[in-house]
């Protein structure tokens, strides 16, 4: 019966073209009052819509013929199902009283004496890469990450089930938490469950709860995590570790939007968004009969593939800067920053390393460096030997960042930009005094810094001065001091005002 609805009800999903997401189909439905006068309408993205006279329902009907909890509408994979909750005056579809039935577009719903029109909606939106270098708690300006931001921006406000795939340490839980924070459920619980950290015999009780006396040791009734996440989000980490015996029970929760505690006779409705993550390739697990195909397709409403750090190594300076600026391990007793930069040699070694532990490993390395560093800069010697040995001063690694970006990172609170490149180290003239040698080095640095920053910004002085936090007039004075001219002549949109 469900197949007849596929033509006009599409699940919230991403359409792929050549492996890249192009559009997202968002599932919604609209319920409209039948009366033309004072007509009202409600649009829902919920997987479960509760209807009744009490204020904690999704659709509250102030009518004495409507029960406190009258009915519920459940969004399944390709249809909507309405279920009467033993109401006093019944639930009706097109003048036929029902207990449970599929909803068709434009059908007449009646709860007691209150009448409504039901209409499924299918909104298709384009996905384009974001222009930002972060999204919520997620950091990265690589195009692969910005494509993910474009997807997250569209699906965060919905109730779409999401599966996040990627290697260990790529930040799957950060993605899940960001989705929750930016959803309409943000004020409700965010519950995390690691499917690989709990003994298999206890997983069912942890997820769905149990009744007193249902098994040895069950000395009291206990709510499961799905109940505790009511109205919010449950994050199922390491989903691929879930046993084949438990997978049908999870599938039932996703389809029926209800849980049955261990030892209970009656199911409990739940309104929970499910986000899952795995470092396994689920399609391969399905082929090898280690993961149920029906559960795979039910979960894969939206699939997000997180790239490993080695495939977005250009994000490493941005990540290091973020960790130095925001991590508590880089603060002293007075909450001041301990380390403020990273040397070119250390950054070269880090960008030449393959990072099998991904962002999590990078965070641990930065924390270690903050504990070992003597000054306010991460030096090559502060890195673990297996990373420091990747430094190749004479022949930089092909994965190393270009000279314009592989430079010291200054996480000062007033600045949000990575510093432009320093001048290359030069021989020290010992025939000069310390002061003379220092002034000469600083002069070389200033000239190289201004020139590199202008080249980076296509000789737009206003943009370059903002990025360097230098007054624009003083910036022009430095250009004149070091004989820096605009190769684009007076055609620049920034050089025609003086």
């Amino acid at each position: 019966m469900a197949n007849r609805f596929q033509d006009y009800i599409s699940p919230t999903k991403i359409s792929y073209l050549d492996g890249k997401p192009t559009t997202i189909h968002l599932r919604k439905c609209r319920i409209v009052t039948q009366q033309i006068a004072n007509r009202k309408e409600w649009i829902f993205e919920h997987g479960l819509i509760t209807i009744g006279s009490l204020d904690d329902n999704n659709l509250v009907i102030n009518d004495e013929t409507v029960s406190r909890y009258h009915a519920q509408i459940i969004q399944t994979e390709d249809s909507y199902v309405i279920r009467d909750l033993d109401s006093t005056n019944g639930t009706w579809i097109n003048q036929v009283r029902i207990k449970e039935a599929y909803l068709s577009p434009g059908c007449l719903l009646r709860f007691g004496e209150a009448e409504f029109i039901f209409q499924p909606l299918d909104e298709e939106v384009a996905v384009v890469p974001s222009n930002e270098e972060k999204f919520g708690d997620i950091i990265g300006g690589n195009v692969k990450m910005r494509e993910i931001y474009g997807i997250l921006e569209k699906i965060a406000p919905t109730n779409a089930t999401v599966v996040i795939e990627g290697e260990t340490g790529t930040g799957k839980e950060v993605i899940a938490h960001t989705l929750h924070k930016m959803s309409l459920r943000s004020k409700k619980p965010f519950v995390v469950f690691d499917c690989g950290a709990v003994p298999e015999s206890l997983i069912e009780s942890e997820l769905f709860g149990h009744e007193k006396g249902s098994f040895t040791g069950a000395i009291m009734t206990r709510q499961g995590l799905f109940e505790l996440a009511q109205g919010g989000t449950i994050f199922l980490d390491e989903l691929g570790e879930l046993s084949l015996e438990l997978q049908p029970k999870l599938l039932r929760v996703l389809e029926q939007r209800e849980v049955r505690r261990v030892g209970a006779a009656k199911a409990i409705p739940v309104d929970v968004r499910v986000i899952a993550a795995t470092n396994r390739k689920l399609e391969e697990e399905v082929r090898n009969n280690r993961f149920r195909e029906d559960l795979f397709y039910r979960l894969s409403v939206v699939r997000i593939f997180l790239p490993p750090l080695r495939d977005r190594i250009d994000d490493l300076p941005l990540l290091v800067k973020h960790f130095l600026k925001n991590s508590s391990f880089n603060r002293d007793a007075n909450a001041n920053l301990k380390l403020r930069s990273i040397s070119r040699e250390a950054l070269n070694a880090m960008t030449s390393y393959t990072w099998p532990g991904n962002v999590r490993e990078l965070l641990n390395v930065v924390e270690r460096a903050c504990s070992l560093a003597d000054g306010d800069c991460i030096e090559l010697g502060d890195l673990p030997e297996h990373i420091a040995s990747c430094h190749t001063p004479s022949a930089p690694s092909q994965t190393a960042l270009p000279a314009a970006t592989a430079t010291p990172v200054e996480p000062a609170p007033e600045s949000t930009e990575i510093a432009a490149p320093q001048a290359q180290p030069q021989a020290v003239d010992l025939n000069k005094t310390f002061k003379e040698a220092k002034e000469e080095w600083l002069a070389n640095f200033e000239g190289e810094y201004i020139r590199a920053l202008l080249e980076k910004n296509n000789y737009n002085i206003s943009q370059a001065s903002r990025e360097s936090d230098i007054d624009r007039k003083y910036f022009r004075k430095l250009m004149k001091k070091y004989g820096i001219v605009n190769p684009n002549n007076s055609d620049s949109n920034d050089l025609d005002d003086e």
Side-chain angles (χ1 to χ4, degrees):
M1 186 183 223
N3 291 337
R4 57 179 285 216
F5 294 93
Q6 291 179 351
D7 292 338
Y8 51 79
I9 301 181
S10 303
T12 302
K13 62 183 179 181
I14 297 180
S15 300
Y16 285 87
L17 180 63
D18 296 329
K20 293 186 178 180
T22 57
T23 60
I24 296 181
H25 296 270
L26 300 178
R27 289 280 301 278
K28 299 179 182 179
C29 70
R30 176 166 53 206
I31 299 177
V32 185
T33 54
Q34 171 73 343
Q35 298 86 353
I36 297 178
N38 299 320
R39 194 170 194 179
K40 296 181 181 179
E41 70 172 45
W42 297 262
I43 294 178
F44 296 102
E45 297 176 356
H46 299 65
L48 174 69
I49 305 167
T50 58
I51 302 163
S53 60
L54 290 186
D55 291 341
D56 57 349
N57 287 285
N58 301 118
L59 175 57
V60 179
I61 305 175
N62 295 314
D63 190 302
E64 60 182 11
T65 64
V66 176
S67 299
R68 292 179 299 174
Y69 298 103
H70 197 105
Q72 59 184 203
I73 296 174
I74 303 165
Q75 182 188 101
T76 66
E77 184 175 355
D78 54 13
S79 60
Y80 286 91
V81 174
I82 189 167
R83 181 184 298 164
D84 183 74
L85 299 179
D86 297 324
S87 63
T88 302
N89 296 307
T91 299
W92 304 70
I93 298 180
N94 297 331
Q95 309 304 325
V96 177
R97 186 167 183 169
I98 58 94
K99 180 63 179 177
E100 182 172 325
Y102 286 108
L103 292 173
S104 59
C107 67
L108 176 64
L109 291 177
R110 179 155 62 89
F111 309 104
E113 297 300 325
E115 294 184 337
F116 301 85
I117 301 295
F118 173 82
Q119 297 172 333
L121 301 176
D122 185 13
E123 180 183 2
E124 182 175 297
V125 293
V127 176
V128 295
S130 169
N131 294 322
E132 303 298 325
E133 292 186 331
K134 64 178 298 187
F135 183 83
D137 298 328
I138 313 164
I139 306 297
N142 181 276
V143 64
K144 294 180 180 179
M145 296 303 295
R146 292 189 287 108
E147 286 175 352
I148 291 174
Y149 299 163
I151 296 171
L152 298 180
E153 185 178 357
K154 301 297 184 183
I155 67 172
T158 74
N159 290 285
T161 303
V162 182
V163 173
I164 309 166
E165 299 182 55
E167 296 179 7
T168 297
T170 47
K172 297 186 286 292
E173 185 169 343
V174 177
I175 295 275
H177 199 264
T178 298
L179 277 171
H180 175 73
K181 286 172 61 177
M182 296 194 169
S183 73
L184 302 177
R185 299 173 178 265
S186 59
K187 299 186 185 307
K188 297 293 184 177
F190 177 75
V191 176
V192 178
F193 179 72
D194 188 337
C195 299
V198 177
E200 187 175 321
S201 59
L202 297 178
I203 290 180
E204 184 176 3
S205 173
E206 287 288 319
L207 286 176
F208 311 130
H210 63 254
E211 295 292 334
K212 179 180 178 180
S214 57
F215 56 85
T216 303
I219 59 175
M220 60 186 295
T221 297
R222 180 181 177 185
Q223 287 183 311
L225 296 180
F226 271 92
E227 287 184 73
L228 294 175
Q230 182 72 7
T233 303
I234 187 167
F235 175 52
L236 303 177
D237 200 7
E238 301 303 339
L239 179 71
E241 306 298 324
L242 197 65
S243 70
L244 282 169
E245 290 74 21
L246 287 171
Q247 289 176 25
K249 296 179 181 180
L250 176 59
L251 179 62
R252 177 177 175 81
V253 174
L254 294 173
E255 290 182 338
Q256 301 297 323
R257 299 291 171 173
E258 61 184 23
V259 297
R260 191 186 302 274
R261 294 175 183 167
V262 177
K266 186 177 180 181
I268 301 170
V270 290
D271 177 19
V272 174
R273 183 183 194 176
V274 176
I275 301 176
T278 179
N279 59 8
R280 297 189 182 190
K281 296 180 178 179
L282 286 184
E283 289 172 318
E284 187 175 310
E285 295 294 297
V286 171
R287 284 194 296 270
N288 293 325
N289 297 318
R290 291 192 293 265
F291 200 86
R292 289 179 62 104
E293 186 176 19
D294 49 2
L295 178 57
F296 169 73
Y297 286 113
R298 187 63 186 86
L299 284 166
S300 300
V301 176
V302 176
R303 294 172 69 193
I304 295 173
F305 301 87
L306 274 182
L309 182 56
R310 62 183 174 274
D311 288 349
R312 58 178 187 112
I313 201 68
D314 50 321
D315 280 339
L316 190 140
L318 196 65
L319 289 163
V320 171
K321 173 187 171 182
H322 174 77
F323 294 151
L324 290 179
K325 183 178 179 181
N326 296 286
S327 300
S328 59
F329 56 70
N330 191 34
R331 298 280 173 174
D332 59 22
N334 298 318
N336 297 317
L337 291 176
K338 294 190 291 185
L339 299 187
R340 292 180 171 272
S341 60
I342 179 171
S343 70
R344 179 178 292 274
E345 292 78 11
L347 195 59
N348 173 271
M350 293 171 78
T351 54
S352 300
Y353 181 59
T354 56
W355 299 102
N358 294 295
V359 180
R360 182 183 294 131
E361 183 183 5
L362 174 62
L363 176 62
N364 292 337
V365 168
V366 174
E367 182 174 2
R368 178 186 186 274
C370 288
S371 302
L372 297 177
D374 293 326
D376 64 352
C377 176
I378 298 177
E379 301 290 351
L380 190 63
D382 301 324
L383 303 179
E385 177 59 31
H386 65 284
I387 297 179
S389 63
C390 295
H391 175 52
T392 53
S394 57
S397 165
Q398 291 183 355
T399 59
L401 296 180
T405 56
T407 55
V409 177
E410 292 289 344
E414 65 274 9
S415 174
T416 59
E417 299 293 331
I418 294 180
Q422 291 181 331
Q424 295 293 327
Q426 58 187 28
V428 177
D429 188 351
L430 298 180
N431 294 319
K432 295 182 179 180
T433 65
F434 172 80
K435 182 178 180 180
E436 291 172 338
K438 180 180 178 181
E439 288 176 350
E440 181 180 344
W441 187 91
L442 286 174
N444 286 330
F445 166 78
E446 281 185 345
E448 289 297 320
Y449 180 93
I450 298 300
R451 185 174 288 105
L453 203 58
L454 284 168
E455 289 176 356
K456 176 185 175 184
N457 290 282
N458 197 27
Y459 283 81
N460 186 310
I461 297 178
S462 295
Q463 190 170 326
S465 63
R466 282 195 300 269
E467 187 169 332
S468 62
D469 201 21
I470 297 175
D471 180 81
R472 187 175 178 281
K473 290 184 178 179
Y474 183 67
F475 195 99
R476 293 179 65 87
K477 191 175 294 184
L478 288 173
M479 287 180 61
K480 186 175 181 180
K481 176 180 178 181
Y482 296 107
I484 300 173
V485 296
N486 177 20
N488 301 326
N489 265 332
S490 58
D491 293 336
S492 169
N493 62 358
D494 203 87
L495 298 178
D496 58 0
D497 57 349
E498 283 192 14

